[in-house]
Amino acid sequence: MTAPVPVLVLNGPNLGRLGSREPDVYGSTSYAGLVARCAALGLELGLDVSVRETNSEAEMVGWLHEAADAETPVVINPGAFTHYSYAMRDAAAQRTAPLIEVHISNPYTRETFRHTSVIAAVASGTIAGFGLGSYELALRALAEQLTTR
């Protein structure tokens, strides 16, 4: 039996407030619920999923550097950093393994400022608008990419 592949699931600002933050947009599942869902699906897919959340752009950039250095695949929900963080975009561009951008809501159905992602152009792909299922779809896509590498 092969060892599970390490994967980082990185979450940007305010995502630690899932369940209480705008439940009409982000749902009622807590951040702990998201972590549990990702870990359980990861086990099923042969992935060792580590879920992290930060409100700090510098910390997120550091995690992306860590992933690039270790050739670790990433699922990332940059939160508000999506729309303006060129530092995060440049860190994501250094990826050495697949990186999938996810969003719980569909940014294109929301405020105009949310329609631009500086991360999308350097990501393997983007999944948005499926609630927390966006993370599950991303992990499944990642597992498939890893088996065809």
Side-chain angles (χ1 to χ4, degrees), residues 9-38 51-55 75-80 102-106 110 114 130-136:
V9 175
L10 304 179
N11 293 286
N14 298 309
L15 286 158
R17 299 190 52 80
L18 287 176
S20 62
R21 176 189 177 207
E22 299 177 82
D24 55 320
V25 175
Y26 299 105
S28 58
T29 301
S30 68
Y31 181 74
L34 169 65
V35 171
R37 283 175 71 168
C38 288
V51 184
R52 303 175 185 177
E53 187 269 339
T54 185
N55 293 317
V75 170
I76 186 169
N77 183 339
V102 300
H103 298 284
I104 296 168
S105 66
N106 180 349
R110 300 184 64 198
R114 296 186 194 275
F130 296 98
L132 296 186
S134 293
Y135 289 87
E136 293 173 358

Side-chain angles (χ1 to χ4, degrees), residues 67-122:
D69 291 346
E71 297 183 12
T72 302
V74 172
V75 170
I76 186 169
N77 183 339
F81 296 143
T82 302
H83 316 295
Y84 68 87
S85 178
Y86 297 111
M88 206 159 70
R89 181 257 179 240
D90 289 348
Q94 298 173 48
R95 69 184 177 85
T96 55
L99 181 144
I100 300 176
E101 177 185 15
V102 300
H103 298 284
I104 296 168
S105 66
N106 180 349
Y108 298 100
T109 64
R110 300 184 64 198
E111 303 92 339
T112 304
F113 77 88
R114 296 186 194 275
H115 297 183
T116 298
S117 169
V118 299
I119 305 300
V122 297

